[in-house]
Amino acid sequence: PISVNYHFTRKCNYQCGFCFHTAKTSHMAELEVAKIGLQKLRDAGMRKLNFAGGEPFLYPEFLGKLVQFCKETLKLESVSIISNGSRIQKSWFDKYGQYLDILGISCDSFDEQVNMEIGRGTGKHVQNIFKVREWCYEHNIKFKLNTVVCKYNYTEDMNESVARLAPFRWKCFQVLIVKTENDGG
């Protein structure tokens, strides 16, 4: 496993209608158990690790300690996080930013009304993204953008806003139905 996605929680503070990571079950391993698992993955050949969720920043200290462990102890080539950006604090960057290579933020629209229709926050999502982008820049962390294209945003021209954010990568995804997860059941 050269590159691994570690979804250590399914819990999230947003309610995006298309998301397949709903908090139906969300067992989280204890920190030391998580470290043992990551060490085993490293021993098996893992070189890159991406923390995802749910929303990883619901547990900022747990996340920070794992990011630090992955860089200092496991010496991984790349450590990244995918987040919705709403719970990230500058103090986290000050404490753990040196151990992070890439931060990906999910943004499906630059129109806050559309974000709220999708279930992505209560009206300050775009403002948070630009703030987090600046912190990434200050801490020399690559900033990535993820967008899910859906019925609410498929006609939106995001070029100007994306150009202002200047992510090193912009990934666009099409909504896919996952039975019993996001199919409305």
Side-chain angles (χ1 to χ4, degrees), residues 25-71:
T25 61
S26 196
H27 169 78
M28 238 174 76
E30 297 291 326
L31 181 63
E32 293 309 312
V33 172
K35 286 180 177 181
I36 290 168
L38 292 171
Q39 180 68 59
K40 287 181 179 186
L41 285 166
R42 174 69 173 109
D43 294 345
M46 176 181 67
R47 298 191 323 242
K48 300 176 182 180
L49 182 66
N50 180 54
F51 291 99
E55 174 49 48
F57 279 95
L58 290 177
Y59 307 95
E61 284 304 306
F62 180 84
L63 176 63
K65 288 176 182 175
L66 286 180
V67 167
Q68 182 177 2
F69 174 76
C70 287
K71 282 308 252 189

Side-chain angles (χ1 to χ4, degrees), residues 6 12 18 24 29 52 65 70 81-82 92 133 136 158 178:
Y6 181 15
C12 185
F18 49 72
K24 292 178 181 174
K65 288 176 182 175
C70 287
I81 301 170
I82 296 296
W92 190 93
R133 167 61 183 99
C136 285
M158 300 182 187
V178 179

Side-chain angles (χ1 to χ4, degrees), residues 11-173:
K11 290 185 180 177
C12 185
N13 57 315
Y14 282 178
Q15 294 86 35
C16 303
F18 49 72
C19 187
F20 62 91
H21 272 282
T22 55
K24 292 178 181 174
T25 61
S26 196
H27 169 78
M28 238 174 76
E30 297 291 326
L31 181 63
E32 293 309 312
V33 172
K35 286 180 177 181
I36 290 168
L38 292 171
Q39 180 68 59
K40 287 181 179 186
L41 285 166
R42 174 69 173 109
D43 294 345
M46 176 181 67
R47 298 191 323 242
K48 300 176 182 180
L49 182 66
N50 180 54
F51 291 99
E55 174 49 48
F57 279 95
L58 290 177
Y59 307 95
E61 284 304 306
F62 180 84
L63 176 63
K65 288 176 182 175
L66 286 180
V67 167
Q68 182 177 2
F69 174 76
C70 287
K71 282 308 252 189
E72 279 191 337
T73 304
L74 300 183
K75 310 278 189 223
L76 295 183
E77 289 174 21
S78 176
V79 177
S80 61
I81 301 170
I82 296 296
S83 169
N84 64 35
S86 66
R87 295 290 181 101
I88 302 174
Q89 300 293 317
K90 185 169 186 330
S91 58
W92 190 93
F93 280 92
D94 295 339
K95 187 171 183 179
Y96 297 111
Q98 65 186 315
Y99 308 110
L100 185 63
D101 299 297
I102 301 167
L103 178 63
I105 299 294
S106 299
C107 179
D108 304 318
S109 179
F110 290 93
D111 178 333
E112 290 296 6
Q113 185 59 44
V114 173
N115 282 322
M116 290 187 290
E117 288 174 27
I118 288 170
R120 200 172 283 289
T122 58
K124 295 190 178 187
H125 187 68
V126 174
Q127 177 184 326
N128 284 339
I129 291 168
F130 278 90
K131 180 172 52 178
V132 169
R133 167 61 183 99
E134 287 307 309
W135 295 337
C136 285
Y137 181 77
E138 291 169 14
H139 289 83
N140 202 28
I141 297 167
K142 289 182 178 179
F143 179 80
K144 183 178 106 175
L145 197 62
N146 284 352
T147 298
V148 177
V149 179
C150 65
K151 68 181 179 180
Y152 299 110
N153 66 358
Y154 76 96
T155 62
E156 183 176 342
D157 181 350
M158 300 182 187
N159 286 303
E160 183 181 321
S161 295
V162 171
R164 283 183 24 231
L165 281 171
F168 88 100
R169 181 180 298 149
W170 182 25
K171 291 175 84 172
C172 294
F173 303 90

Side-chain angles (χ1 to χ4, degrees), residues 17-20 22 24 175-185:
F18 49 72
C19 187
F20 62 91
T22 55
K24 292 178 181 174
V175 171
L176 297 175
I177 301 300
V178 179
K179 243 186 184 344
T180 74
E181 296 290 334
N182 68 352
D183 62 354

